[in-house]
């Protein structure tokens, strides 16, 4: 078996991402294929995606052809990803039933003529990043260019969908990679600005739930001219990869499928993560230019059991129908297990994938200008606000005396002095209005994402040269399920940059830069755009608030403050960690330095922003704590399974430390929030009191949640400690047993040596000691043997018990089936007997009629003999009548006979049926009785076994412990 596996794993290696050469060519491996294979291999060859992964984006979407012009029909990109055999399957000696034969073919091990070809087949050693590059990157880049895109992971439970879509810190999945890629693309597209929104939903047992909003349960699917949508779903504008991933992580916590019962329930749970991308050209010439709006739907679909609602009738289909309507790019990643125990499931998935390959799509770029474009709305609002601001500025300028003639100066001065109070009040009002406008502009501006690169190169419509690989910073990793980070760092170190032409180059400086980025998060480049000097002033923070030449002018100061605050805000989005808190503190200092004085409107707006920022940080930190807690929970479960794994304990400790540190940060933030609230309270008591109470309510809620989580953690920790204690005890027992066994084995080779004295006499004392020692050892040996036997017995009994339980279960099922059968038969029987009774009645009636009709002519004949004279005395007419009625009677008689025969035949048939049914019922009853009998026997047997097992267990407590440990280990 081991050698066979070895051979097969080499085959998988051949199908992995790194393999090239003859084996990869579909044609090279089709010689002995069946018709089915030949058909599929044609698909495989004709598909553009079957070409080299790295050159695929070129083949699919030529750089020189704008997307809206490119109308060639494409098929859905269909790929298959194998997962490795898991430790359980290996332990159980499962074999490999399906394998990747080259880069495009999946072949059956037992029947090599069964084979399917796809655009790409990924072996079990392929990394998710490679899967992303081949199967998803073109969909993401298309979505960023306005072409709708959908990426599905489809497969049976435990086939690797979650691993592929979400991944973990060691191997981030398609969703985090896509999100990161989207932000990298924004950075590489200086000539456009973007607005990104995310939504995340779950379809659980045909109920649509909003994972970003726990209140959004059982939402309705509606339709409008633009397709289907979920009514009332929450969409969050996202500012950074970390922000988006934190939302997903929080959403995961709201899923109906917990980590403990995952595999039990997940088969009816599908998730859809949607990234809505709006983009428009930036700069002066953007007026009237179309906004592109596209959606990337990334779904995890569990292949359903046949008993459940078929896909075609499900809510899932309704929701996805617009994505599959044929105008977007679609990538289907089918996840499968090679294991022989899942041969059929894997085959079904492969057939589904093969059918999907025939769907044709025609990707086209969406160009939309309508009220649904949020980016347009924001841009327009910013524009209007700026115009208002300009008008306000102009309003102030027009009252300046520079346009007036010298003669009027005295008069004007007089006028000005007269109207000083009035003007002052107007000025204040205008400043207030300006501050409000500035605040709004800042808020809206920070939602629109732009690249900080100089706009020399453009991304639209043509893609630039090789794009830098995205890497994950600490902040992004924090939102992925916890795994050893050192591994991902190692992976990053050996990662080579692969450009689109397939050339490989070492990362060199870019690697260093990536590491730097990783350290500081990716949002350093997401800064406030510098389109409007009036708004942003200088980007140098040090020359910000403190260097303002006109501190009394709200415009100058607020501009500087805006940038300072915004960069903090963005940093906060990307890095909700300790340094962020200190930045926030710094920001607070700056903020306090630059206060115009209590009561000024600008100050209060800054204060609101400050609180917003702190709240955001608070929210993110709470999300992180929740995520870490859930990771801790998962690790606790893993520890229960693998108590010896020291690494997990280290990780758990690390997690606990992080939770503690973050809780402290949360405390700090809460204090800051309340301080800010107090400060702002002084500034604007009435306006802020509501916000304060809201904040306090939220804070209380969060603190409560946190407390609950901490309490949960304590409980889990205690349970864990208990389990660890138990495991340690068991391990000790095992160790001592092992030691005893070894000693006993040594004894086997031991032969008693009789010691002789110097005089050649045997030394009896020493000899006795040795004999005693030997006896003890022999006793020990016996005990050990006994223990071994007992262990063996326990194992046998357990196996027998399992088998009996299984049999028991089967018998119970059979019995209930038989009962069902019997009751159905009884119902049918009843119906039949009623029918038979009816028929018999009818028959009797007919027989009576027949008898009556038989009697009447003879009677007539008898009476006719005695009354001939009288009859003859009747006229000719009467004779004729009688002749007619005789003929009628004869006919009737014949008919009756016929009917009688028919009824008799029907009766016979019914009787036969009835007899058959009776027989069936009898059989069922017998079977039921037999099954019940068997069941009772089983129970008796089980009870006996349990009893004997109990006795055995009493006889050897250590054996029981060992047995439990074994069970636990399994
Ligand atoms: N390509 C892979 N490489 C290594 N491990 C994998 C791979 N795919 C899946 N696994 C592992 O297999 C197990 C099951 O995978 P996963 O949870 O992703 O399955 P799933 O299809 O999402 O299951 P479900 O439908 O129950 O949610 C996990 O432990 C996962 O880490």
């Amino acid at each position: 078996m081991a050698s066979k596996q070895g051979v097969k794993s080499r085959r998988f290696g051949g199908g992995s991402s790194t393999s090239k050469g003859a084996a990869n060519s579909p044609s090279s491996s089709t010689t002995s294929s069946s018709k089915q294979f030949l058909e599929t291999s044609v698909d495989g060859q004709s598909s553009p995606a079957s070409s080299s992964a790295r050159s695929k984006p070129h083949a699919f979407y030529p750089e020189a052809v704008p997307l809206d012009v490119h109308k060639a029909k494409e098929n859905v990109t269909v790929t298959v990803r194998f997962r490795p055999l898991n430790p359980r399957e290996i332990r159980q000696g499962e074999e490999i039933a399906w394998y990747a034969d080259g880069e495009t073919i999946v072949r059956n091990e037992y029947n090599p003529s069964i084979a399917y070809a796809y655009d790409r087949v990924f072996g079990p050693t392929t990394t998710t990043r490679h899967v992303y590059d081949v199967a998803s990157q073109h969909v993401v880049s298309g979505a960023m260019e306005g072409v709708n895109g959908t990426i599905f992971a489809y497969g049976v439970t435990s086939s690797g969908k979650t691993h592929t879509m979400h991944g973990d810190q060691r191997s981030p999945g398609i969703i985090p990679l896509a999100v990161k890629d989207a932000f990298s693309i924004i950075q590489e597209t200086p000539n456009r600005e973007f607005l990104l929104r995310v939504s995340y939903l779950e379809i659980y047992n045909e109920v649509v739930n909003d994972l970003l909003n726990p209140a959004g349960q059982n939402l309705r699917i509606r339709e409008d001219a633009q397709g289907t949508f979920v009514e009332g779903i929450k969409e969050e504008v996202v500012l950074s990869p970390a922000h988006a991933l934190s939302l997903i992580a929080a959403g995961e916590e709201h899923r109906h499928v917990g980590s403990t019962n995952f595999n039990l329930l997940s088969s009816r749970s599908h998730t859809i993560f949607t990234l809505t991308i709006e983009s428009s050209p930036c700069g002066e010439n953007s007026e009237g230019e179309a906004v592109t709006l596209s959606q990337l739907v990334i779904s995890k679909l569990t292949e359903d059991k046949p008993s459940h609602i078929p896909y075609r009738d499900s809510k899932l289909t309704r929701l996805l129908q617009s994505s599959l309507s044929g105008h977007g790019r679609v990538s289907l990643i089918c996840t499968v297990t090679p294991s022989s125990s899942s041969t059929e499931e894997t085959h079904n998935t492969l057939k589904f994938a093969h059918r999907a390959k025939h769907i044709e799509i025609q990707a086209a770029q969406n160009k939309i200008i309508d009220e649904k474009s949020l980016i347009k709305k924001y841009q327009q609002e910013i524009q209007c606000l700026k115009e208002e601001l300009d008008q306000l500025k102009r309003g102030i300028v027009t009252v300046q005396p520079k346009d007036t003639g010298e003669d009027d100066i005295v008069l004007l001065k007089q006028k000005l002095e007269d109207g000083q109070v009035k003007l002052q009040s107007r000025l204040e009002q205008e400043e207030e209005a300006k501050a409000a406008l500035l605040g709004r502009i800042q808020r809206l501006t920070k939602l629109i994402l732009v690249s900080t690169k100089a706009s020399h190169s453009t991304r639209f419509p043509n893609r630039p040269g090789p794009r830098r690989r995205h890497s994950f910073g600490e902040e992004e990793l924090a939102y992925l399920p916890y795994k050893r980070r050192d591994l991902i760092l190692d992976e990053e170190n050996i990662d080579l940059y692969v450009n689109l032409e397939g050339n490989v180059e070492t990362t060199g400086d870019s690697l260093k830069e990536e590491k730097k980025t990783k350290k500081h998060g990716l949002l350093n480049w997401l800064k406030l755009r510098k389109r409007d000097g009036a708004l942003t002033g200088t980007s140098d923070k040090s020359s910000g608030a403190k260097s303002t030449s006109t501190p009394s002018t709200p415009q100058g100061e607020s501009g500087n403050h805006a940038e300072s605050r915004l960069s903090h805000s963005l940093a906060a989005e990307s890095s909700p960690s300790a340094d962020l808190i200190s930045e926030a503190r710094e920001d607070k200092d700056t903020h306090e330095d630059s206060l115009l004085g209590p009561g000024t409107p600008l100050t209060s707006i800054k204060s609101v922003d400050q609180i917003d920022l702190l709240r955001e940080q608070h929210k993110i930190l709470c999300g992180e704590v929740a995520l870490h807690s859930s990771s801790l929970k998962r690790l606790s479960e893993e520890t229960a399974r693998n108590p010896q794994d020291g690494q997990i304990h280290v990780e758990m400790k690390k997690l606990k430390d992080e939770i503690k540190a973050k809780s402290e940060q949360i405390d700090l933030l809460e204090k800051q929030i309340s301080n800010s609230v107090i400060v702002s309270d002084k500034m604007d008591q009435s306006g802020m009191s509501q916000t304060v109470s809201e904040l306090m309510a939220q804070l209380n809620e969060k603190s409560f949640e946190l407390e609950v989580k901490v309490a949960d953690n304590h409980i889990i920790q205690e349970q864990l400690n208990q389990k660890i204690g138990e495991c340690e005890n068991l391990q000790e027992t095992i160790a001592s047993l092992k030691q005893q066994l070894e000693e006993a084995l040594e004894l086997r080779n031991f032969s008693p040596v009789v010691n002789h004295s110097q005089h050649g006499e045997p030394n009896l004392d020493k000899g006795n000691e040795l004999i005693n020692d030997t006896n003890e050892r022999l006793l020990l040996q016996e005990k050990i043997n006994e223990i071994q036997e007992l262990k063996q017995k326990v194992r046998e009994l357990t196996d027998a018990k399992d088998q009996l339980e299984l049999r028991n279960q089967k018998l119970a099922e059979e019995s209930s089936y038989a009962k069902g059968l019997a009751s159905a038969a009884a119902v049918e029987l009843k119906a039949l007997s009623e029918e038979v009774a009816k028929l018999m009645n009818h028959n009797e009636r007919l027989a009576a009629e027949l008898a009556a009709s038989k009697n009447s002519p003879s009677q007539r004949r008898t009476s006719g003999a005695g009354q001939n004279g009288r009859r003859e005395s009747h006229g000719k007419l009467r004779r004729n009548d009688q002749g007619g009625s005789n003929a009628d009677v004869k006919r009737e008689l014949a008919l009756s006979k016929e009917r009688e025969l028919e009824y008799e035949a029907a009766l016979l048939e019914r009787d036969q049926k009835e007899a058959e049914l009776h027989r069936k019922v009898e059989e069922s009853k017998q079977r039921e009785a037999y099954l019940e009998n068997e069941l009772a026997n089983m129970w008796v047997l089980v009870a006996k076994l349990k009893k004997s097992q109990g006795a055995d267990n009493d006889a050897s407590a250590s054996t029981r412990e060992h047995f439990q440990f074994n069970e636990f280990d399994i």
Side-chain angles (χ1 to χ4, degrees), residues 916-957:
E916 202 180 320
L917 280 169
H918 271 305
R919 193 176 47 76
K920 271 191 188 166
V921 170
E922 278 311 309
E923 267 177 20
S924 299
K925 276 183 184 164
Q926 275 173 10
R927 181 143 183 79
E928 193 184 330
Y930 168 77
L931 289 173
E932 271 172 5
N933 202 21
E934 280 276 279
L935 206 62
N937 286 343
M938 290 301 153
W939 280 117
V940 171
L941 211 56
V942 169
K944 272 186 196 165
L945 282 169
K946 274 185 184 162
K947 209 170 151 189
S948 67
Q949 191 184 341
D952 287 343
N953 287 351
D954 286 346
S956 169

Side-chain angles (χ1 to χ4, degrees), residues 81-84 124 156-163 262-263 266 300 302:
R81 185 183 198 191
F82 277 97
R83 72 156 166 77
V156 295
T157 188
S158 264
S159 59
K161 299 179 295 293
T162 312
H163 179 84
F262 211 59
N263 286 337
S266 60
K300 189 166 78 83
T302 305

Side-chain angles (χ1 to χ4, degrees), residues 760-870:
E761 293 290 314
N763 187 337
L764 288 177
D765 286 348
K766 291 237 172 178
N768 285 340
E769 259 176 46
L770 274 171
I771 288 163
N772 284 344
D773 195 25
T774 312
N775 283 342
E776 269 176 28
R777 284 177 182 234
L778 285 172
L779 262 173
L780 196 64
Q781 170 74 34
E782 264 173 35
K783 284 227 154 114
I784 289 164
N785 287 346
E786 225 174 86
I787 289 169
Q788 292 295 337
E789 275 169 24
L790 282 169
K791 273 188 200 170
Q792 182 60 28
K793 214 169 171 190
V794 168
R795 251 179 255 130
E796 281 169 14
L797 284 169
T798 319
D799 285 349
K801 187 184 146 214
D802 286 349
Q803 278 172 8
L804 282 170
E805 273 175 1
L806 209 67
R807 195 141 172 232
N808 216 354
Q809 200 185 334
K810 269 191 192 158
L811 285 171
E813 278 169 13
E814 275 183 35
S815 148
S816 75
Y817 175 71
K819 273 183 190 164
L821 212 66
S823 61
V827 170
E828 206 176 327
L829 199 65
K830 202 178 156 204
L832 277 174
S833 13
E834 279 169 8
E835 213 175 312
V836 168
K838 269 189 211 162
L839 279 173
M840 280 165 80
N841 284 342
H842 192 61
N843 212 19
E844 269 171 28
R845 232 182 14 251
L846 282 174
E849 267 178 37
L850 193 68
S853 58
K854 270 181 187 168
N855 283 341
S856 63
S858 62
Q859 270 173 6
R860 268 196 295 270
R861 262 197 306 276
T862 324
S863 62
Q867 296 172 17
N868 262 350
R870 219 185 331 150

